[in-house]
C-alpha cells in the first residue's frame, strides 16, 4: 500500500526529470504500480483510511512522485455534488499526451497545491481549459478522452509531473494573481 512516506518532495531531482515512456506489453510490476496509485487516491479520499494511515487527500498522482521515472499517472476525481460516490473520472493513464487543446485557459480560484510540495504557493496556475488526451489503459487499450474545467486541470497537473514540471512554474513570479484576458477562473 502506498502512503505519504513513498511520496518524494520538492528538491528531489526525480521530480525535474522527463519520465520514460512505458513499453508494451505491460509487465506485472507496472500494472501493480498503476493499481496501487489509484488505490492510494481512493484511500486518501476515504476519511477513515486517510486518518488511519495519515494520508493527505489527493485527486491525482504521477509515478515520478514515487521516485519512479515512468510515464504513468492516476486520477480519481470525486463528484462533490453527488452522494452516490460515483467519481467524475477515475483512471490509470499510461503514456498520456495532450493531443489538442483550447485557446481559452482556465485556473482554479484557490490556486494549486501538490502532494510533493509541503508549503503553500499562492498564485493562479493558468492551464488549457479544454484538452483532448490520449493514453493507454491498464489493458493496453488506446483511449482518447476530452476533458474540460476541473478534470482537465487535474490531468494537466499530472502530465506536467511526467515532464518534470511543477505547478508553480506556471505562476507569474512578479504578479501571482495577474491573469491574461483569455483565462477564466474555475470556482
Ligand atoms: C496531488 C494534487 C493534484 C491536484 C492539485 C491541483 C490540481 C490537481 C492534489 C495538494 C493538497 C490538496 C490535494 C487536492 C483534493 C481535492 C478535491 C477532492 C479531494 C498530484 N498531486 N492536491 N494537492 N485534494 N482531494 O500533487 O490532489 O486537491 O500530482
Ligand atoms: Ni502534484
Amino acid at each position: 500500500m502506498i502512503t505519504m512516506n513513498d511520496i518524494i518532495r520538492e528538491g528531489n531531482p526525480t521530480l525535474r526529470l522527463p519520465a520514460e515512456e512505458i513499453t508494451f506489453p505491460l509487465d506485472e510490476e507496472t500494472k501493480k504500480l498503476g493499481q496501487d496509485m489509484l488505490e492510494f487516491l481512493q484511500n486518501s479520499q476515504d476519511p477513515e483510511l486517510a486518518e488511519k494511515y495519515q494520508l493527505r487527500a489527493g485527486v491525482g498522482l504521477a509515478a515520478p512522485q514515487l521516485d519512479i521515472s515512468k510515464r504513468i499517472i492516476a486520477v480519481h476525481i470525486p463528484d462533490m455534488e453527488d452522494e452516490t460516490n460515483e467519481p467524475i473520472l477515475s483512471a490509470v493513464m499510461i503514456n498520456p499526451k495532450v493531443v489538442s487543446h483550447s485557446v481559452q485557459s482556465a485556473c482554479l480560484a484557490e490556486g494549486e497545491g501538490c502532494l510533493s510540495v509541503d508549503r503553500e504557493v499562492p498564485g493562479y496556475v493558468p492551464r488549457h481549459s479544454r484538452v483532448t488526451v490520449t493514453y493507454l489503459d491498464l489493458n493496453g487499450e488506446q483511449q482518447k478522452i476530452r476533458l474540460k474545467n476541473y478534470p482537465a486541470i487535474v490531468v494537466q497537473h499530472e502530465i506536467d509531473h511526467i515532464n518534470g514540471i511543477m505547478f508553480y512554474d506556471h505562476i507569474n513570479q512578479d504578479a501571482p494573481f495577474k491573469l491574461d484576458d483569455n483565462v477564466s477562473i474555475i470556482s
Side-chain angles (χ1 to χ4, degrees):
M1 189 189 124
I2 296 172
T3 67
M4 297 309 290
N5 293 118
D6 299 304
I7 298 179
I8 60 170
R9 307 304 153 93
E10 57 178 337
N12 188 312
T14 304
L15 289 171
R16 289 309 197 172
L17 294 179
E20 290 277 332
E21 287 263 335
I22 289 175
T23 55
F24 281 79
L26 284 185
D27 52 72
E28 287 306 313
E29 202 184 324
T30 308
K31 273 187 209 168
K32 175 78 164 49
L33 172 63
Q35 287 161 357
D36 287 353
M37 287 170 65
L38 194 57
E39 183 206 58
F40 166 82
L41 296 176
Q42 289 162 343
N43 292 348
S44 80
Q45 291 175 31
D46 178 316
E48 266 134 51
L49 291 175
E51 166 67 24
K52 185 170 177 197
Y53 298 108
Q54 292 296 296
L55 308 176
R56 195 175 169 201
V59 287
L61 188 67
Q65 294 181 280
L66 303 170
D67 210 6
I68 300 168
S69 199
K70 290 186 181 171
R71 303 187 80 81
I72 177 164
I73 67 171
V75 292
H76 190 78
I77 306 175
D79 189 344
M80 304 296 197
E81 326 285 65
D82 189 16
E83 288 95 80
T84 61
N85 245 328
E86 257 337 298
I88 291 179
L89 176 63
S90 183
V92 174
M93 303 184 186
I94 295 162
N95 300 337
K97 192 172 164 20
V98 174
V99 292
S100 71
H101 63 78
S102 58
V103 175
Q104 182 74 26
S105 299
C107 64
L108 299 180
E110 335 61 269
E112 291 187 18
C114 180
L115 295 180
S116 297
V117 178
D118 290 325
R119 62 191 171 105
E120 298 263 318
V121 186
Y124 290 136
V125 181
R127 299 187 181 278
H128 308 302
S129 64
R130 293 179 298 281
V131 290
T132 302
V133 176
T134 59
Y135 64 92
L136 287 140
D137 65 20
L138 283 177
N139 300 317
E141 287 173 44
Q142 184 80 41
Q143 304 288 341
K144 187 177 194 169
I145 55 169
R146 276 168 206 76
L147 300 171
K148 60 180 179 183
N149 300 325
Y150 187 63
I153 302 266
V154 175
V155 169
Q156 287 173 86
H157 178 114
E158 303 318 324
I159 292 178
D160 269 356
H161 275 307
I162 60 176
N163 290 324
I165 296 166
M166 301 295 284
F167 72 93
Y168 46 76
D169 299 347
H170 299 288
I171 299 176
N172 181 329
Q173 295 295 82
D174 308 313
F177 291 100
K178 202 183 90 174
L179 286 178
D180 291 342
D181 292 335
N182 66 324
V183 191
S184 52
I185 298 171
I186 303 171
S187 29

